[in-house]
Amino acid sequence: MSYVVHLFEHPGPATLDEATALHSRLSATAAPPNPKFVQLAKALVQRFPVEVGGTVGGIPLWLESVPDGGTGGSAVYSLGVYDGGLTHLLPVLVGLALPMGLCVYDDQAGRCYVPGGFALTARGRHPLRQRATPVAAAPAAGAAPTPLTMAWVNKRLREALGPALAQAGFTPFDVFHSLHFSRATEAGLQHITFTLTTYHDSVRLNPGARLEPELPHALYRPVRMDTLNCEAHDHSALAAHAMTMSEADLGARQRFCTLTLDTGPEVEALLPALLAFVQANYLPLLQACRDVPGIVRACLAPQDLPAFPVMDRVALALLHWTGQADVQAVLQAEEARHLVRRQLSRSVVREACVQRLAAMHTWRGQWHPTAVPPRRLPRPEDRLPPQAAIEQLWPRLCRLAEARGFEVKEEEPRRFVLRRAGPEVGQTLRWDLSEQQVATIRLETLAFDCPAVSAYLRQFLAPWAPSNGVARAWPFRVALKPGELDHLDIDLRDLRFSIERADRFADHVQAAEASLVQLLDLLDHTRTLAALAVLMAHERHLPDWSNGNSRFDFEETGCLLLLAAVHAPDRLDACTAASRARFKFRGWGFRDDPEAADMLERVITEAQRLAAAGGPAPFQPVA
């Protein structure tokens, strides 16, 4: 919890110390449900339906969870408060609780509010001033609440912008804590978005536009994105309404377009300017992007319209599909332009996407107007049930794994381990299907264990093991975890995804099954120490923290060095350099612990000796 306030029923302690003692005693006291807590929770939800009640997406903004008055059998009701709840919710909470005979104990602020309108602090007992006890009742119909709520801002956005956007074919949708106006076109969906967030004592509004073109699943796989963000070239029309603009040398691409709203009149003054901004910037772009060629033209000539699509992975896929440009040349030009403007010069994710697209020769220039059926605006029945992943996809994956000799075990609810033992190498796949809001499946871990190598390492280091260092009470099973397997044409993202669209589920299932079969084929081939050494000694799997690989602790690194020495000696130098870089960068005691640093060098020396000696492996199988 980031900030917690506690409520309990009491006529009112006389001092803060008494309140602290009372809170401690009541927290340890079992008590039946208190109807006043339930009444208070309902009043808070009614007062702030979005921020507290989570009516959009089921997630409250100001509390850890939607309040229900439950205490788990305690006499104290505790609420975890976030962000704007400290300034907006807390005064209302006090105003509601005190007339009900409840005390509000805020130990982090060193204060307790007690019935009768008093605050207890270290300096004594003080009456609450009138302004410190806000009126908790909801505002009159149509009036701006004080403080502002996201529900009211959302309502005013619908009323002020909805009619004009409806004439252009846009329909409003609530998406979590954002308001979207969406329409369907030949290319796919288009969205004008207004993201609402709370920040301390304000509500912030961020306008935006997005394209959601329909891609064949084969092109979606290298992209793994659904939407293409759009930016306006100029936001000065909104500068008078507290827009925080980006720095000039970063350009519009890196803007932070957030609007702080404090009062109802400020909202009313903003709305006409916001509508004019949308009509002048977003609508012309979206009109030009109603089909795929239009989106491509806007991407290649961003200066021709008042707004432009960001050259991201979706745009690159559309360029490849239409054959209008070479995606590698486009990405190089884009990165060069960013370098001139002092933005980030490279995007590893985009470069990997371009490499995958460039390898898909049969898809280049294959777009035609009926290549993908047009999509309608989403309806409730279009949403995939969250349980589809575990009820429909997971049994199919389990059957594939079990046919290869893997044992399936559910260690925790909706968390599974697939394990296959072997005389030299054990293999483990850990899966997480615990997400219950969206259909999700996630391969969390692919790991190999080699008990014989681990035992050799432990025995070799035993004479020098420091009293507080490595090699003491080692686990018997040391797990070697490879990185991504793209170089083997295995895309593990097919086994790690969330999906809400029912019409795409069949494609995801087919891709997941195909990728698992590829992975199982690799695992069948990697059941010996020699094959495992070749896999793990590849440059994509080395334990160099500076390359973002944190999968290796000392034990894993030692096993890798020994494996490489015996079965892949040509890769030992690379493994040694990467191992030193891994621990030097992290500094897990190796920089300041001479004993541990000496142990790492001893393993390297032993690995070099084994590589020079050649001959059979010294690792004896462990029963």
Side-chain angles (χ1 to χ4, degrees), residues 51 61-62 82-85 88 150 196-200 202-204:
E51 291 83 351
L61 291 176
W62 291 349
Y82 289 123
D83 296 330
H88 290 335
M150 290 173 53
L196 297 169
T197 57
T198 58
Y199 184 77
H200 295 304
S202 63
V203 175
R204 291 188 170 185

PDB file of all heavy atoms in Angstrom, residues 51 61-62 82-85 88 150 196-200 202-204:
ATOM      1  N   GLU A  51     -13.373   7.254 -10.028  1.00  0.00           N
ATOM      2  CA  GLU A  51     -12.125   7.278  -9.273  1.00  0.00           C
ATOM      3  C   GLU A  51     -12.121   6.277  -8.130  1.00  0.00           C
ATOM      4  O   GLU A  51     -11.079   5.722  -7.760  1.00  0.00           O
ATOM      5  CB  GLU A  51     -11.878   8.686  -8.716  1.00  0.00           C
ATOM      6  CG  GLU A  51     -11.557   9.729  -9.792  1.00  0.00           C
ATOM      7  CD  GLU A  51     -12.804  10.312 -10.449  1.00  0.00           C
ATOM      8  OE1 GLU A  51     -13.912   9.782 -10.196  1.00  0.00           O
ATOM      9  OE2 GLU A  51     -12.685  11.290 -11.200  1.00  0.00           O
ATOM     10  N   LEU A  61      -9.136   4.525  -9.454  1.00  0.00           N
ATOM     11  CA  LEU A  61      -7.906   5.291  -9.619  1.00  0.00           C
ATOM     12  C   LEU A  61      -7.312   5.732  -8.294  1.00  0.00           C
ATOM     13  O   LEU A  61      -6.105   5.902  -8.176  1.00  0.00           O
ATOM     14  CB  LEU A  61      -8.180   6.535 -10.472  1.00  0.00           C
ATOM     15  CG  LEU A  61      -8.495   6.292 -11.942  1.00  0.00           C
ATOM     16  CD1 LEU A  61      -8.825   7.605 -12.618  1.00  0.00           C
ATOM     17  CD2 LEU A  61      -7.330   5.630 -12.632  1.00  0.00           C
ATOM     18  N   TRP A  62      -8.152   5.961  -7.311  1.00  0.00           N
ATOM     19  CA  TRP A  62      -7.684   6.562  -6.069  1.00  0.00           C
ATOM     20  C   TRP A  62      -7.517   5.552  -4.940  1.00  0.00           C
ATOM     21  O   TRP A  62      -6.964   5.890  -3.901  1.00  0.00           O
ATOM     22  CB  TRP A  62      -8.647   7.656  -5.612  1.00  0.00           C
ATOM     23  CG  TRP A  62      -8.630   8.856  -6.508  1.00  0.00           C
ATOM     24  CD1 TRP A  62      -7.729   9.136  -7.496  1.00  0.00           C
ATOM     25  CD2 TRP A  62      -9.549   9.947  -6.488  1.00  0.00           C
ATOM     26  NE1 TRP A  62      -8.034  10.332  -8.092  1.00  0.00           N
ATOM     27  CE2 TRP A  62      -9.148  10.858  -7.489  1.00  0.00           C
ATOM     28  CE3 TRP A  62     -10.675  10.244  -5.721  1.00  0.00           C
ATOM     29  CZ2 TRP A  62      -9.834  12.038  -7.746  1.00  0.00           C
ATOM     30  CZ3 TRP A  62     -11.355  11.425  -5.969  1.00  0.00           C
ATOM     31  CH2 TRP A  62     -10.939  12.309  -6.971  1.00  0.00           C
ATOM     32  N   TYR A  82      -4.276   6.334  -3.388  1.00  0.00           N
ATOM     33  CA  TYR A  82      -3.282   6.672  -4.401  1.00  0.00           C
ATOM     34  C   TYR A  82      -3.535   8.072  -4.953  1.00  0.00           C
ATOM     35  O   TYR A  82      -4.653   8.586  -4.932  1.00  0.00           O
ATOM     36  CB  TYR A  82      -3.344   5.704  -5.596  1.00  0.00           C
ATOM     37  CG  TYR A  82      -2.850   4.318  -5.309  1.00  0.00           C
ATOM     38  CD1 TYR A  82      -3.668   3.216  -5.512  1.00  0.00           C
ATOM     39  CD2 TYR A  82      -1.564   4.106  -4.853  1.00  0.00           C
ATOM     40  CE1 TYR A  82      -3.202   1.934  -5.276  1.00  0.00           C
ATOM     41  CE2 TYR A  82      -1.091   2.831  -4.615  1.00  0.00           C
ATOM     42  CZ  TYR A  82      -1.912   1.755  -4.826  1.00  0.00           C
ATOM     43  OH  TYR A  82      -1.444   0.482  -4.583  1.00  0.00           O
ATOM     44  N   ASP A  83      -2.510   8.665  -5.520  1.00  0.00           N
ATOM     45  CA  ASP A  83      -2.562   9.844  -6.374  1.00  0.00           C
ATOM     46  C   ASP A  83      -3.524  10.911  -5.866  1.00  0.00           C
ATOM     47  O   ASP A  83      -3.405  11.405  -4.760  1.00  0.00           O
ATOM     48  CB  ASP A  83      -2.931   9.438  -7.811  1.00  0.00           C
ATOM     49  CG  ASP A  83      -1.860   8.541  -8.422  1.00  0.00           C
ATOM     50  OD1 ASP A  83      -0.701   8.706  -8.048  1.00  0.00           O
ATOM     51  OD2 ASP A  83      -2.201   7.701  -9.265  1.00  0.00           O
ATOM     52  N   GLY A  84      -4.518  11.255  -6.716  1.00  0.00           N
ATOM     53  CA  GLY A  84      -5.440  12.329  -6.368  1.00  0.00           C
ATOM     54  C   GLY A  84      -6.309  12.032  -5.176  1.00  0.00           C
ATOM     55  O   GLY A  84      -6.967  12.935  -4.657  1.00  0.00           O
ATOM     56  N   GLY A  85      -6.334  10.780  -4.727  1.00  0.00           N
ATOM     57  CA  GLY A  85      -7.126  10.467  -3.551  1.00  0.00           C
ATOM     58  C   GLY A  85      -6.648  11.198  -2.310  1.00  0.00           C
ATOM     59  O   GLY A  85      -7.441  11.490  -1.403  1.00  0.00           O
ATOM     60  N   HIS A  88      -8.195  14.830  -3.067  1.00  0.00           N
ATOM     61  CA  HIS A  88      -9.619  14.878  -3.396  1.00  0.00           C
ATOM     62  C   HIS A  88     -10.454  13.985  -2.491  1.00  0.00           C
ATOM     63  O   HIS A  88     -11.485  14.391  -1.980  1.00  0.00           O
ATOM     64  CB  HIS A  88      -9.846  14.452  -4.856  1.00  0.00           C
ATOM     65  CG  HIS A  88      -9.347  15.454  -5.841  1.00  0.00           C
ATOM     66  ND1 HIS A  88      -9.214  16.784  -5.557  1.00  0.00           N
ATOM     67  CD2 HIS A  88      -8.955  15.307  -7.139  1.00  0.00           C
ATOM     68  CE1 HIS A  88      -8.764  17.428  -6.624  1.00  0.00           C
ATOM     69  NE2 HIS A  88      -8.593  16.550  -7.591  1.00  0.00           N
ATOM     70  N   MET A 150     -13.469  12.500 -12.903  1.00  0.00           N
ATOM     71  CA  MET A 150     -13.288  12.067 -14.282  1.00  0.00           C
ATOM     72  C   MET A 150     -14.620  11.763 -14.946  1.00  0.00           C
ATOM     73  O   MET A 150     -14.780  11.956 -16.150  1.00  0.00           O
ATOM     74  CB  MET A 150     -12.373  10.845 -14.313  1.00  0.00           C
ATOM     75  CG  MET A 150     -10.942  11.177 -13.961  1.00  0.00           C
ATOM     76  SD  MET A 150      -9.915   9.703 -13.802  1.00  0.00           S
ATOM     77  CE  MET A 150     -10.217   8.896 -15.339  1.00  0.00           C
ATOM     78  N   LEU A 196      -7.941  10.338 -19.704  1.00  0.00           N
ATOM     79  CA  LEU A 196      -8.121  11.072 -18.460  1.00  0.00           C
ATOM     80  C   LEU A 196      -7.332  10.388 -17.350  1.00  0.00           C
ATOM     81  O   LEU A 196      -7.438   9.180 -17.154  1.00  0.00           O
ATOM     82  CB  LEU A 196      -9.603  11.122 -18.079  1.00  0.00           C
ATOM     83  CG  LEU A 196     -10.516  11.860 -19.074  1.00  0.00           C
ATOM     84  CD1 LEU A 196     -11.969  11.611 -18.720  1.00  0.00           C
ATOM     85  CD2 LEU A 196     -10.215  13.349 -19.084  1.00  0.00           C
ATOM     86  N   THR A 197      -6.543  11.154 -16.642  1.00  0.00           N
ATOM     87  CA  THR A 197      -5.793  10.643 -15.508  1.00  0.00           C
ATOM     88  C   THR A 197      -5.862  11.651 -14.375  1.00  0.00           C
ATOM     89  O   THR A 197      -6.140  12.838 -14.596  1.00  0.00           O
ATOM     90  CB  THR A 197      -4.316  10.393 -15.868  1.00  0.00           C
ATOM     91  OG1 THR A 197      -3.740  11.608 -16.364  1.00  0.00           O
ATOM     92  CG2 THR A 197      -4.189   9.309 -16.912  1.00  0.00           C
ATOM     93  N   THR A 198      -5.644  11.183 -13.167  1.00  0.00           N
ATOM     94  CA  THR A 198      -5.583  12.087 -12.027  1.00  0.00           C
ATOM     95  C   THR A 198      -4.137  12.239 -11.595  1.00  0.00           C
ATOM     96  O   THR A 198      -3.358  11.293 -11.640  1.00  0.00           O
ATOM     97  CB  THR A 198      -6.401  11.542 -10.848  1.00  0.00           C
ATOM     98  OG1 THR A 198      -5.898  10.256 -10.488  1.00  0.00           O
ATOM     99  CG2 THR A 198      -7.861  11.445 -11.206  1.00  0.00           C
ATOM    100  N   TYR A 199      -3.806  13.437 -11.192  1.00  0.00           N
ATOM    101  CA  TYR A 199      -2.444  13.711 -10.767  1.00  0.00           C
ATOM    102  C   TYR A 199      -2.504  14.721  -9.639  1.00  0.00           C
ATOM    103  O   TYR A 199      -2.801  15.903  -9.856  1.00  0.00           O
ATOM    104  CB  TYR A 199      -1.625  14.258 -11.928  1.00  0.00           C
ATOM    105  CG  TYR A 199      -0.164  14.488 -11.595  1.00  0.00           C
ATOM    106  CD1 TYR A 199       0.725  13.422 -11.520  1.00  0.00           C
ATOM    107  CD2 TYR A 199       0.303  15.768 -11.344  1.00  0.00           C
ATOM    108  CE1 TYR A 199       2.052  13.624 -11.213  1.00  0.00           C
ATOM    109  CE2 TYR A 199       1.641  15.983 -11.035  1.00  0.00           C
ATOM    110  CZ  TYR A 199       2.515  14.905 -10.981  1.00  0.00           C
ATOM    111  OH  TYR A 199       3.826  15.106 -10.667  1.00  0.00           O
ATOM    112  N   HIS A 200      -2.278  14.236  -8.421  1.00  0.00           N
ATOM    113  CA  HIS A 200      -2.342  15.087  -7.234  1.00  0.00           C
ATOM    114  C   HIS A 200      -3.689  15.807  -7.182  1.00  0.00           C
ATOM    115  O   HIS A 200      -4.726  15.180  -7.029  1.00  0.00           O
ATOM    116  CB  HIS A 200      -1.157  16.043  -7.196  1.00  0.00           C
ATOM    117  CG  HIS A 200       0.153  15.341  -7.033  1.00  0.00           C
ATOM    118  ND1 HIS A 200       0.421  14.495  -5.989  1.00  0.00           N
ATOM    119  CD2 HIS A 200       1.270  15.345  -7.807  1.00  0.00           C
ATOM    120  CE1 HIS A 200       1.647  14.007  -6.111  1.00  0.00           C
ATOM    121  NE2 HIS A 200       2.178  14.498  -7.205  1.00  0.00           N
ATOM    122  N   SER A 202      -5.396  17.477  -9.534  1.00  0.00           N
ATOM    123  CA  SER A 202      -5.932  17.853 -10.841  1.00  0.00           C
ATOM    124  C   SER A 202      -6.379  16.630 -11.619  1.00  0.00           C
ATOM    125  O   SER A 202      -6.065  15.497 -11.277  1.00  0.00           O
ATOM    126  CB  SER A 202      -4.880  18.615 -11.646  1.00  0.00           C
ATOM    127  OG  SER A 202      -3.768  17.782 -11.888  1.00  0.00           O
ATOM    128  N   VAL A 203      -7.143  16.904 -12.661  1.00  0.00           N
ATOM    129  CA  VAL A 203      -7.490  15.893 -13.659  1.00  0.00           C
ATOM    130  C   VAL A 203      -6.786  16.288 -14.940  1.00  0.00           C
ATOM    131  O   VAL A 203      -6.840  17.450 -15.348  1.00  0.00           O
ATOM    132  CB  VAL A 203      -9.010  15.825 -13.894  1.00  0.00           C
ATOM    133  CG1 VAL A 203      -9.330  14.849 -15.025  1.00  0.00           C
ATOM    134  CG2 VAL A 203      -9.726  15.420 -12.627  1.00  0.00           C
ATOM    135  N   ARG A 204      -6.098  15.358 -15.542  1.00  0.00           N
ATOM    136  CA  ARG A 204      -5.360  15.662 -16.758  1.00  0.00           C
ATOM    137  C   ARG A 204      -6.017  15.004 -17.970  1.00  0.00           C
ATOM    138  O   ARG A 204      -6.495  13.884 -17.888  1.00  0.00           O
ATOM    139  CB  ARG A 204      -3.903  15.198 -16.635  1.00  0.00           C
ATOM    140  CG  ARG A 204      -3.107  16.023 -15.629  1.00  0.00           C
ATOM    141  CD  ARG A 204      -1.650  15.673 -15.662  1.00  0.00           C
ATOM    142  NE  ARG A 204      -0.868  16.627 -14.875  1.00  0.00           N
ATOM    143  CZ  ARG A 204       0.452  16.619 -14.807  1.00  0.00           C
ATOM    144  NH1 ARG A 204       1.138  15.707 -15.458  1.00  0.00           N
ATOM    145  NH2 ARG A 204       1.089  17.521 -14.084  1.00  0.00           N
TER     146      ARG A 204
END
